[in-house]
Amino acid sequence: MVGTFYKVRYKGPGGNQVEESGFLTQDEAIDRLTNTYKAKKASPANRARSERIEKCGQMRLREYTALWRAGQRHLAAASLSHLDSLLQHHVFPALATRRMSAFDHNVVDGFIRTMERNGVGLAAQSNAYDKLKSILLDAVRSGTPGGDRRWQGSESGLCSGQSPRQPSRHGTCNGTIGDPPAR
């Protein structure tokens, strides 16, 4: 077979698709892809992200929240006081010792159900949920929960602008964190 060459396609460093051709055998093409993959995995950015995921994924919610709270410089003193109160009275008693890599929609749903069972008012449920959502979304954006996307849907399963007992205002978040359970 004269003139038959193998092509390989992969994502380049900038995220663009790269195509290379001219490989005489399939083994040469596979070797090229393997070398490209190894070089990409060894890059400093991927190593730093992997280290951050491993470090933060093993953190407890209380530890991660302390880091997250330090970054909330835009909050006024009264807002920080309200945040601390929500964390101490609602979020930490239920979730403080849970590892960040162990969160999923079932954990958050269980948190909401526990608040309901304990007779927490709807406003406090909504506020506590919103703060937990903010913390978890920050963790997802930084790649923390195991580096995967276990929360599906908009913004990794947490519907923006949605409280525990409010239906989705956007109509796109069916069955994700924040939707009331079907009864």
Side-chain angles (χ1 to χ4, degrees), residues 74-124:
H74 62 282
L75 295 178
S79 297
L80 286 173
S81 173
H82 184 249
L83 170 64
D84 291 339
S85 176
L86 284 171
L87 292 172
Q88 293 303 322
H89 293 95
H90 300 292
V91 178
F92 287 161
L95 303 170
T97 59
R98 181 170 289 275
R99 293 196 186 278
M100 292 302 293
S101 61
F103 275 92
D104 64 8
H105 68 281
N106 293 321
V107 172
V108 177
D109 189 52
F111 169 65
I112 294 168
R113 288 175 192 259
T114 300
M115 286 194 297
E116 289 172 347
R117 214 175 21 254
N118 293 340
V120 175
L122 289 178

Side-chain angles (χ1 to χ4, degrees), residues 131-179:
K131 294 308 174 199
L132 178 62
K133 179 175 82 169
S134 296
I135 294 165
L136 294 177
L137 283 177
D138 181 71
V140 168
R141 287 184 190 119
S142 68
T144 299
D148 60 10
R149 298 278 189 194
R150 287 184 281 175
W151 301 319
Q152 301 299 316
S154 82
E155 202 61 41
S156 300
L158 298 170
C159 298
S160 57
Q162 192 172 356
S163 296
R165 290 282 153 223
Q166 295 174 338
S168 173
R169 290 178 241 179
H170 309 291
T172 58
C173 297
N174 296 323
T176 59
I177 295 176
D179 288 340

